[in-house]
Structures are given as structure tokens and as C-alpha cells.
Amino acid sequence: MRKRYVAAVAALGLTVGGLVAVPAVAGGAPNGKQPAAAANKQVADQFIVTFADTVSERKVSHKDVTHQRELATGGVVVRANRALDAAGSQRLMGELRRQAGVVEVEADLLVTAQAAPNDALYGQQWDLFEPVGGMNVEAAWNTADGAGVTVAVIDTGIVSHSDLNGNVLPGYDFISYPSVSRDGDGRDANPNDEGDWYDAGECGGAPSPAASSWHGTHVAGTIAALTNNSAGIAGIAGAAKIVPLRVLGKCGGYTSDIADAIAWAAGGRVPRIPSNPNPAKVINMSLGGASPRCSGTYQKAINTAVKAGTTVVVAAGNANSDVAGFTPANCNNVVAVAASDRGAERSFYSNFGAKIDVTAPGGEVRLATDPPGTRTTPENGILSTLNTGTTVQGAESYKTYMGTSMAAPHVAGLVALMLGEVSMTPAQVEAALIANTRPLVACPGGCGAGLVDAGATIAAITAP
């Protein structure tokens, strides 16, 4: 995986870490990545000369360079005696390669601290970079971006959003009943989110009406919003692709539809449905309901996906209860994710218990409807892509939400980063996530291994 060359944004005032090789050239692409044409025309004044193992005396003989030192790898560092332009660097490297015994000459590239991406709202994404409650994504971005990995988001579908559209592949609407889907038909190839709003008295006698959540779009943005595009937010795996699968509509969604979506997402065959042209290596399910046991239908669908090599990530639930009573988080072969707040403590709503695998930032927003005197804290939620419509779609927007629904896509995004670097089975993915967590400040009831750490995880799986 090629490294991400990103431009510094001093105005954000962020602490950044990690090192990334940066070609010493003037200018560059607007998104901070070095143009392909420039990669072979680097301006360098220091070079590493590698000799064949059979060469005993490793000495560079050239009037225009000065020997600096030998490396632990056996290479020799030399420095040009004068300033060079791009053509001069290439010419000198060619001359050095012609010396007897030399097998390789490379520019000794400068390095600099990995800068934050230039997305305009990145400074509000504490969940990615803050040292206490964040998941240390910047360290992972030194090498990983999720390119080549497809993530299926099984949710309410998707709405058009300029900060997300470029990473969205064709999906599917698995809602069987028009009364739930609101699109006038049953299953079809259009995963457009038609809104999940309802009136008071509907959906099991709900006492109050509810506006459309555009939930699937929020989840998808956390995973793979366009990153380093000078706009909006940064997705955790900004080069990954999203396959949106619509299973939740008015009043929710049926297990039967969700199970079919799981199988289809992983490349399985679903009767009377065309095959998925973009099988996913990761499935995110920020959904669930109360049930003392995992249904056999859920478990069979999940097993099918895992057998196909797909990692299934599931939100633990928001009832402040033992996750053992909530499905599909209580199923086997899933990565069950609890939620933490900005202070790295279990969020007040998050489910907990022995079946939790890991925890990720889910936020904790206090509302005006909380006890009198409570200060609203939208800044402590998870910021992602959304829509302003209260029933049908309006304008694109960004908004903070909280929930284990927000925690799960953090893990799904990290899994996409992992699989973009190393081929791994779902069991290996889960083991690596667990092994590279860091402790939470507090987690009554149990939050699995701890808070996921993207930098530590990527470093561990890519280590020699």
C-alpha cells in the first residue's frame, strides 16, 4: 500500500504523530498526494547505494558525492557536493548505478510528521485523534487507507452526499414490504433511503413521532467519507468503498430481510436477486433488538458470510444492559462493539458484558431534555454525513449522533484499513483487534478487551 502524502493544516491546531516519507519536491497534487509523473523525478541531494552481497569493499567512487556513513542494512549513504534539480538527481543516480557491484541506488527521502487531513470539519472529529478517547487513526494513516476493500453497510440505505458519493458502489434494497420501504414496491436495486420517520401511535404505539434518521448515511460516512478533500469530515478508511444495503425502513426491518442482506453482501446467492458484483470483506450492522438468544437465521447467515471470508461487525445496543440479551450482537462469529465517550469511559447507554469483543468511540451527547441544568454537548458526539430532511430528504449536512451504532463503524473502518494492508481471515482480524486495544478509563459491566487503537493494530499486523 502506498503511503498517504497529506498536506499540513496548521489552522486545526492538532497534535499529530507518526512519520511518513515525503519526496523533497516543490508543489504537489491538491489533495496532498504526489502526482505519479513526479514520483520518478524527485529532487534529492542524498542517496542510498546498495551493493551486491558479494562485494567486500563498499565504497562509492564518484567525484560529485561524499561518503556519509554505512547503514545497518549494508547500504552506503552518500551526499551530493552541490545542489541538484530533478534532472540532475536522476542523472547522478544513473551514474552511481553503473559503478561495479552496485545493485540499487535510491533517493534518501526526507521524512516529516504525518499531518492531519485537510477536511474542513476534521478538528471536530475527536473520536479519530484525541489521545484519551480517540482511536489513534492518524498513526494508521501513515500507511493504510483501505484502498481495495469493500464494506457493506446494512442499514437504512443511503442518501446522496458530496462527501461520500465518490466511495459508494451500487447496493440493494432488501425491504420486502412497501409499507416499510415507502418506495412503492418490494425488493429492488435502489438502496435510496426513503426515510424512517413515523407518527405518534405508529410502530407499536410509539408515544411521540420521530423524524427520519438517515442512519445508514451517518454510519457510512464514519467508515469511508472522502478524506483529504478539503471538505467536510474524514472517513476512517477514506479509500474504501461502501455497498449500501437497505433493510430498515418505517418501524425497522425484518430478520428475514437482514439475513438475506448479510448473505448477499458476502457474495452469497439469494433467490430471485442478482448476484452482488462487489462482495464485501467487511459488513457493518448498526442494528439489533432484544432477544435472549441469537436466532438460527441470523447465525446461519453470519456463518455463511464468515466462511466466505467476510468480517461481521455488530453494534452492541443502547440499553445499558448485558449484550447477551440483544441480537445479532449476541451471535457467534461477530465482532460485538460497545461504545465509549470522549473520556474513554463506557458511554452511559452502551450495552456491556462478556460477549463484547472491543469498544470504540460512540460519543455521549447530553440533551436539553436531560435533568434541569444539564449543558447540551453536541461536540461530544460522533460527527458524520447526514441530511436535513425531517421526513423526506432535504439538503446534505453533517451532524453528531451518539450510540453503539456510531461505535461499530469505527471498527468496520479499522478492519477496512487492516484488510487493505494484509490478507486476513475474520478470526485473525478479530484476534488482532483484541490484541491491540488499550485500556479504558472505566467500564462497569465489561467492555471486552478495551478501546480499539488503529495505529497499534496496523503497526502490529504489518510488522515484519
Side-chain angles (χ1 to χ4, degrees):
M1 184 66 62
R2 54 192 172 87
K3 296 180 184 293
R4 300 171 53 83
Y5 301 117
V6 292
V9 186
L12 291 179
L14 302 177
T15 302
V16 297
L19 294 177
V20 57
V22 178
V25 298
N31 66 358
K33 291 188 178 180
Q34 192 60 28
N40 294 323
K41 297 183 179 180
Q42 299 164 356
V43 178
D45 58 5
Q46 190 159 289
F47 308 92
I48 301 172
V49 181
T50 302
F51 289 85
D53 293 340
T54 55
V55 175
S56 58
E57 185 178 1
R58 300 179 179 182
K59 183 177 180 181
V60 177
S61 300
H62 196 288
K63 61 182 178 60
D64 291 333
V65 301
T66 301
H67 177 95
Q68 299 294 306
R69 64 187 178 279
E70 293 188 10
L71 300 176
T73 58
V76 174
V77 179
V78 297
R79 190 172 185 83
N81 296 332
R82 57 184 174 81
L84 300 170
D85 58 14
S89 293
Q90 293 299 309
R91 184 167 51 251
L92 180 54
M93 291 172 70
E95 293 170 357
L96 294 174
R97 289 189 184 100
R98 288 193 287 273
Q99 180 177 328
V102 171
V103 295
E104 183 181 6
V105 178
E106 58 186 298
D108 192 1
L109 302 182
L110 294 173
V111 297
T112 185
Q114 167 69 52
N118 62 16
D119 302 83
L121 301 179
Y122 180 70
Q124 300 176 41
Q125 292 183 270
W126 61 267
D127 45 308
L128 304 191
F129 62 81
E130 283 193 350
V132 176
M135 59 179 286
N136 191 24
V137 177
E138 288 179 0
W141 284 340
N142 286 336
T143 58
D145 60 9
V149 180
T150 299
V151 183
V153 175
I154 299 179
D155 214 291
T156 63
I158 199 85
V159 302
S160 177
H161 200 293
S162 61
D163 206 13
L164 188 57
N165 291 345
N167 279 340
V168 177
L169 297 173
Y172 212 85
D173 180 357
F174 277 90
I175 299 178
S176 296
Y177 300 107
S179 60
V180 177
S181 68
R182 283 201 165 105
D183 61 1
D185 59 19
R187 293 180 172 184
D188 58 47
N190 183 7
N192 182 60
D193 190 340
E194 302 290 343
D196 55 356
W197 61 276
Y198 55 82
D199 291 325
E202 295 186 308
C203 301
S208 302
S212 291
S213 65
W214 316 117
H215 190 273
T217 300
H218 198 280
V219 168
T222 295
I223 297 169
L226 299 176
T227 301
N228 216 40
N229 64 338
S230 301
I233 64 166
I236 291 170
K241 299 299 182 184
I242 297 292
V243 171
L245 303 182
R246 187 169 183 240
V247 297
L248 304 177
K250 181 181 178 180
C251 303
Y254 287 95
T255 296
S256 55
D257 289 340
I258 297 168
D260 272 354
I262 294 169
W264 190 85
R269 189 183 67 84
V270 177
R272 296 183 294 280
I273 301 294
S275 297
N276 179 8
N278 301 292
K281 284 298 182 184
V282 192
I283 290 173
N284 186 93
M285 290 197 292
S286 291
L287 51 80
S291 175
R293 55 181 285 273
C294 172
S295 80
T297 299
Y298 266 143
Q299 192 63 69
K300 188 172 183 178
I302 290 166
N303 290 348
T304 298
V306 170
K307 186 176 180 180
T310 303
T311 298
V312 180
V313 179
V314 181
N318 302 328
N320 187 29
S321 301
D322 194 318
V323 70
F326 295 81
T327 196
N330 60 2
C331 295
N332 295 325
N333 294 330
V334 303
V335 179
V337 185
S340 57
D341 63 16
R342 199 164 180 173
E345 299 185 41
R346 178 170 68 83
S347 298
F348 69 87
Y349 54 80
S350 177
N351 286 348
F352 51 81
K355 291 189 76 70
I356 297 293
D357 293 295
V358 293
T359 300
E364 191 169 286
V365 178
R366 295 299 179 176
L367 307 174
T369 53
D370 284 341
T374 298
R375 184 179 71 86
T376 58
T377 57
E379 69 276 11
N380 292 341
I382 305 301
L383 184 67
S384 190
T385 46
L386 212 68
N387 190 277
T388 61
T390 55
T391 54
V392 298
Q393 294 177 23
E396 67 176 47
S397 65
Y398 301 88
K399 188 175 181 179
T400 56
Y401 276 177
M402 66 177 177
T404 58
S405 283
M406 285 62 254
H410 283 76
V411 175
L414 174 51
V415 175
L417 293 180
M418 296 165 68
L419 296 178
E421 301 301 299
V422 180
S423 179
M424 306 175 74
T425 67
Q428 290 170 330
V429 166
E430 183 175 0
L433 289 169
I434 290 171
N436 293 287
T437 55
R438 64 179 192 267
L440 288 155
V441 172
C443 181
C447 288
L451 182 64
V452 290
D453 188 305
T457 304
I458 295 300
I461 67 172
T462 58

